[in-house]
Amino acid sequence: MSKAAVVSTVKHIVGAPEQPVPYVSVNEYVRERAGDPRKLIVDYVTSLFPFFQWITRYNLGWAIGDIIAGLTVGLVLVPQSMSYAKIAQLAPEYGLYSSFVGVFVYCDVSIGPVAVMSLETGLIITDILDKFPGRWEEPQIATTLAFICGFIVLGVGLLRLGWIVEFIPAPAVSGFMTGSAISIAAGQVPGLFGIASKLNTRAETYKVIINTLKNLHFSTIDAAFGVVGLFFLYAIRWTCEYLSRRYPRRARTFFFISVLRNGFVVIILTLAAYLYLHDKRDEKLKSKYPPPAILLTVPRGFKHVGQPVIDPELVSAMAGKLPVATIILLLEHIAISKSFGRLNGYKINPNQELIAIGVTNTVGSCFAAYPATGSFSRSALKSKSGVRTPAAGWITGIVVIVALYGLTDAFFWIPSAGLSAVIIHAVADLVASPAQVYSFWRVSPLEFLIWAAAVLVTIFSSIENGIYTSVGASAGLLLIRVARPRGEFLGRVNVRGDDGTTSRSIYLPLSSDRGVINPRVKPTPLGSGVLVYRFEESFVYPNSSLINSRLVDYAKEVTRHGRNQSEIPLYDRPWNDPGPPRGVTEDNSDADKPLLRALVLDLSAVAHIDTTGVQNLIDIRKELEKYTDGPVEFHFANISSPWVRRALIAGGFGSGQLEGVKRAREVAPVVPGRRRIRRVNM
């Protein structure tokens, strides 16, 4: 057997045309996307170590800006990190342990303890201690969580899978953050008034709010520190904002006074607590009003440096909580990075951000740190303070180390209510403003509903259910938009030019869309049995059946049968089209309608056609030709992808009258086989 005969036989077996039709090949696609392997490797390694891109150009001007920004962020980070450690059910020093690794590793976004991740860490610790009392200590649980989540996120970044975070829209993230901020603030209000011991601050948020209101009359002297501290935090902020507008030349001075308000208030409250507890003159008053709760001893330096102890049984115990914890790390950091990038006019690389989080948490676990991610407030503060390079993070890290080794004695007297005030003041900025919520409604009411659902579920259920609701609703909305796409049948409108002599035809939807098309413009159908349909989404398996029904139903509505239905005997009709009842004359109202001759499909919005889509096109052609009792031409306009053209050719479209090219009947058979199923008469 000759080579040509072998090739012909193989083509016959696989159904390939004898006369080849030119289309894009897999090899061409691979060569186009692969590029130069050496360049790809160099770019990949360079992206992992951005340090080398700027260190050789470092100068004195950059150093001054970095020192100012680093010191400013450090003075804010120290009290915040100790406050967030309280939310995570850990001692204050663990907040400091978690603070310095991130700022050393990455600079664009300040990585460290944040409120939402601290809350989730605290919930996981509480859940494991309830199920396994006395089995593991809180720091080991937190460190294991940081290591596992960091390892997962690092793997996602190294594999360049950061695009998965794009599936969560901004309203879903905002809703989750708003609900979490309200939950955190509600959980800290009892500590603000000194009544935290009288109620369960880990219950559902709405229960915490109700129980707090019921127990406010049990408030202790802690309220004098917490409420007053919160008042002064807002008073300093609003006063500085007003003075900045009133005296613009002094705006930078007022800015630094405002950003250091946390430190000012904590120092004043610490001095007040120290003086109150050391005053021996009125013991009777102290017996009536118990002293405020204070931090007490904060160990000096790093006391738990070393290889983290990862217990496989502990990992199994927290396995159910790992997905939500990892999602929080991803969402919060990427959302903050994107927002920060928009403010500063550059685009982020999600993979690089994930690598930074992964390295921070895996390395941080060696210092007994708990999970850390990006902080928008500290990142924005760094930017406004005049940061120039990643070296500013090193200055912030030095501030944290100095605090750990030189200021722990002063931390002893910090009132817990004062830290609650710092937390409430910080998380208030995470709550979406009314203007932002209204913009969600104006842009997309469905996304507004996702935002509202995330907030309500977080408040009335839990933070885990809130984030699963936001992620699940976002995925559902995406699938609905793919599975239920819009599409329009087009008509012709003749448009004249400004000179009144030249004219051309444009094609607009036949259905009137209020607010989009001028209602006075009336497109007319093409007539002569020609229909034009414009896709507004890729033609893939979730939506192919819907589009199939839409095309066939409309064609049957505006065109007539190709065969006189009254001449078809009842026994030759299909069961789903039995015709009129006996004794009733066939309706000939469609006699004036044209016979379908051609279907023009505008594929300008179609980026992909899959096997199911091609099969549905074949089914449409088969059904329409049966309806018209003759051939129907299929024309495709504005094909933008060579792979769409390849798929259409595989389905037998666009091959014309080429010799040896057979029309495909099925490209996705349910039951593969060479024999046809014979009709069985019952």
Side-chain angles (χ1 to χ4, degrees), residues 360-396:
T360 296
N361 286 282
T362 51
V363 174
S365 62
C366 299
F367 295 86
Y370 73 89
T373 188
S375 168
F376 179 76
S377 60
R378 296 195 296 267
S379 300
L381 173 60
K382 181 189 293 186
S383 176
K384 292 179 180 179
S385 299
V387 67
R388 293 293 182 269
T389 70
W394 304 342
I395 305 298
T396 301

Side-chain angles (χ1 to χ4, degrees), residues 114-117 170-184 328 331-333 335-336 373-374 376 427 429-432 451 454-455 458 463 466-467 470:
V114 295
V116 178
M117 193 66 231
V173 178
S174 176
F176 161 68
M177 298 290 286
T178 297
S180 300
I182 295 173
S183 299
I184 294 168
I328 292 175
L331 287 187
E332 189 166 4
H333 185 85
I336 290 169
T373 188
F376 179 76
V427 300
D429 291 334
L430 299 178
V431 178
W451 178 90
V455 173
T458 302
I463 185 175
I467 195 166
S470 60

Side-chain angles (χ1 to χ4, degrees), residues 296-474:
L296 301 176
T297 302
V298 177
R300 184 188 302 272
F302 296 99
K303 297 295 184 182
H304 309 283
V305 178
Q307 180 180 349
V309 179
I310 308 299
D311 188 343
E313 294 184 8
L314 176 56
V315 176
S316 300
M318 66 172 60
K321 302 290 185 179
L322 288 176
V324 68
T326 305
I327 291 173
I328 292 175
L329 282 180
L330 295 174
L331 287 187
E332 189 166 4
H333 185 85
I334 295 300
I336 290 169
S337 299
K338 286 184 176 180
S339 187
F340 191 58
R342 285 193 295 268
L343 290 175
N344 292 275
Y346 67 88
K347 293 183 179 180
I348 68 162
N349 182 351
N351 297 305
Q352 189 65 26
E353 304 296 330
L354 298 184
I355 291 174
I357 305 173
V359 172
T360 296
N361 286 282
T362 51
V363 174
S365 62
C366 299
F367 295 86
Y370 73 89
T373 188
S375 168
F376 179 76
S377 60
R378 296 195 296 267
S379 300
L381 173 60
K382 181 189 293 186
S383 176
K384 292 179 180 179
S385 299
V387 67
R388 293 293 182 269
T389 70
W394 304 342
I395 305 298
T396 301
I398 293 172
V399 172
V400 175
I401 294 174
V402 169
L404 264 172
Y405 282 92
L407 300 176
T408 52
D409 292 339
F411 295 159
F412 183 94
W413 304 102
I414 295 178
S416 298
L419 294 182
S420 296
V422 171
I423 294 172
I424 295 173
H425 182 66
V427 300
D429 291 334
L430 299 178
V431 178
S433 65
Q436 183 180 355
V437 176
Y438 181 59
S439 69
F440 293 156
W441 172 259
R442 293 191 64 190
V443 173
S444 176
L446 289 177
E447 291 187 340
F448 166 80
L449 294 179
I450 293 178
W451 178 90
V455 173
L456 294 176
V457 172
T458 302
I459 293 175
F460 288 95
S461 180
S462 65
I463 185 175
E464 290 91 350
N465 292 337
I467 195 166
Y468 284 138
T469 298
S470 60
V471 173
S474 301

Side-chain angles (χ1 to χ4, degrees), residues 60-264:
L60 181 61
W62 288 1
I64 295 174
D66 289 342
I67 292 173
I68 295 174
L71 290 174
T72 304
V73 175
L75 294 175
V76 173
L77 177 60
V78 170
Q80 273 193 356
S81 61
M82 292 190 294
S83 303
Y84 292 151
K86 284 182 53 184
I87 305 177
Q89 304 291 309
L90 297 170
E93 63 268 19
Y94 290 96
L96 296 173
Y97 298 160
S98 306
S99 299
F100 85 100
V101 177
V103 293
F104 271 110
V105 169
Y106 199 56
C107 103
D108 289 342
V109 173
S110 180
I111 301 178
V114 295
V116 178
M117 193 66 231
S118 299
L119 175 61
E120 178 60 21
T121 301
L123 292 173
I124 293 175
I125 290 175
T126 302
D127 181 70
I128 292 179
L129 292 181
D130 290 342
K131 294 179 180 177
F132 306 93
R135 184 72 179 275
W136 298 288
E137 297 292 332
E138 291 90 339
Q140 183 181 358
I141 299 173
T143 300
T144 302
L145 180 65
F147 180 82
I148 299 299
C149 290
F151 187 78
I152 294 172
V153 175
L154 180 61
V156 172
L158 291 174
L159 294 175
R160 293 298 190 258
L161 300 177
W163 50 267
I164 61 176
V165 300
E166 305 294 343
F167 285 94
I168 312 298
V173 178
S174 176
F176 161 68
M177 298 290 286
T178 297
S180 300
I182 295 173
S183 299
I184 294 168
Q188 292 302 311
V189 169
L192 197 72
F193 290 94
I195 56 174
S197 60
K198 296 184 178 296
L199 48 97
N200 178 19
T201 58
R202 297 292 168 183
E204 290 84 353
T205 302
Y206 76 97
K207 291 182 179 179
V208 175
I209 295 174
I210 294 173
N211 292 332
T212 300
L213 295 175
K214 289 181 178 178
N215 290 275
L216 276 180
H217 61 283
F218 293 113
S219 298
T220 65
I221 197 174
D222 292 80
F225 292 86
V227 176
V228 172
L230 185 61
F231 170 80
F232 274 103
L233 284 171
Y234 278 104
I236 296 172
R237 175 179 177 176
W238 292 336
T239 301
C240 290
E241 290 177 355
Y242 170 77
L243 293 176
S244 296
R245 293 191 298 269
R246 184 71 182 274
Y247 305 102
R249 293 184 179 180
R250 304 293 182 103
R252 189 164 181 81
T253 301
F254 295 129
F255 163 76
F256 281 106
I257 294 174
S258 178
V259 299
L260 297 177
R261 59 186 178 274
N262 285 339
F264 293 154

Side-chain angles (χ1 to χ4, degrees), residues 308-631:
V309 179
I310 308 299
D311 188 343
E313 294 184 8
L314 176 56
V315 176
S316 300
M318 66 172 60
K321 302 290 185 179
L322 288 176
V324 68
T326 305
I327 291 173
I328 292 175
L329 282 180
L330 295 174
L331 287 187
E332 189 166 4
H333 185 85
I334 295 300
I336 290 169
S337 299
K338 286 184 176 180
S339 187
F340 191 58
R342 285 193 295 268
L343 290 175
N344 292 275
Y346 67 88
K347 293 183 179 180
I348 68 162
N349 182 351
N351 297 305
Q352 189 65 26
E353 304 296 330
L354 298 184
I355 291 174
I357 305 173
V359 172
T360 296
N361 286 282
T362 51
V363 174
S365 62
C366 299
F367 295 86
Y370 73 89
T373 188
S375 168
F376 179 76
S377 60
R378 296 195 296 267
S379 300
L381 173 60
K382 181 189 293 186
S383 176
K384 292 179 180 179
S385 299
V387 67
R388 293 293 182 269
T389 70
W394 304 342
I395 305 298
T396 301
I398 293 172
V399 172
V400 175
I401 294 174
V402 169
L404 264 172
Y405 282 92
L407 300 176
T408 52
D409 292 339
F411 295 159
F412 183 94
W413 304 102
I414 295 178
S416 298
L419 294 182
S420 296
V422 171
I423 294 172
I424 295 173
H425 182 66
V427 300
D429 291 334
L430 299 178
V431 178
S433 65
Q436 183 180 355
V437 176
Y438 181 59
S439 69
F440 293 156
W441 172 259
R442 293 191 64 190
V443 173
S444 176
L446 289 177
E447 291 187 340
F448 166 80
L449 294 179
I450 293 178
W451 178 90
V455 173
L456 294 176
V457 172
T458 302
I459 293 175
F460 288 95
S461 180
S462 65
I463 185 175
E464 290 91 350
N465 292 337
I467 195 166
Y468 284 138
T469 298
S470 60
V471 173
S474 301
L477 178 60
L478 179 63
L479 291 176
I480 290 173
R481 287 173 172 170
V482 173
R484 312 292 296 182
R486 292 186 50 137
E488 298 288 353
F489 287 93
L490 306 182
R492 180 188 290 119
V493 175
N494 291 322
V495 180
R496 292 188 178 277
D498 295 336
D499 56 5
T501 57
T502 60
S503 66
R504 65 186 182 93
S505 297
I506 64 172
Y507 295 87
L508 298 176
L510 292 171
S511 60
S512 59
D513 288 333
R514 186 179 59 177
V516 177
I517 298 176
N518 190 332
R520 292 178 295 178
V521 176
K522 302 295 184 181
T524 58
L526 271 67
S528 303
V530 178
L531 301 181
V532 180
Y533 182 81
R534 182 176 66 198
F535 289 82
E536 294 189 8
E537 182 61 71
S538 290
F539 192 35
V540 288
Y541 65 91
N543 60 38
S544 56
S545 294
L546 174 69
I547 297 176
N548 183 329
S549 300
R550 186 180 295 167
L551 289 170
V552 172
D553 292 346
Y554 184 81
K556 291 181 178 181
E557 178 184 347
V558 300
T559 62
R560 60 181 171 84
H561 275 282
R563 181 179 178 185
N564 190 343
Q565 297 297 293
S566 61
E567 299 176 356
I568 302 176
L570 183 61
Y571 56 81
D572 277 344
R573 290 179 178 270
W575 67 268
N576 58 340
D577 185 20
R582 292 181 182 274
V584 178
T585 305
E586 186 81 27
D587 183 13
N588 293 321
S589 60
D590 64 346
D592 295 334
K593 296 178 181 178
L595 187 67
L596 180 63
R597 296 191 302 109
L599 179 63
V600 181
L601 301 178
D602 181 358
L603 304 184
S604 56
V606 176
H608 304 283
I609 290 184
D610 62 3
T611 303
T612 308
V614 172
Q615 181 62 55
N616 272 273
L617 278 178
I618 296 173
D619 295 341
I620 292 170
R621 179 175 60 188
K622 189 189 312 180
E623 189 167 357
L624 291 180
E625 290 184 344
K626 181 180 179 181
Y627 176 78
T628 58
D629 195 29

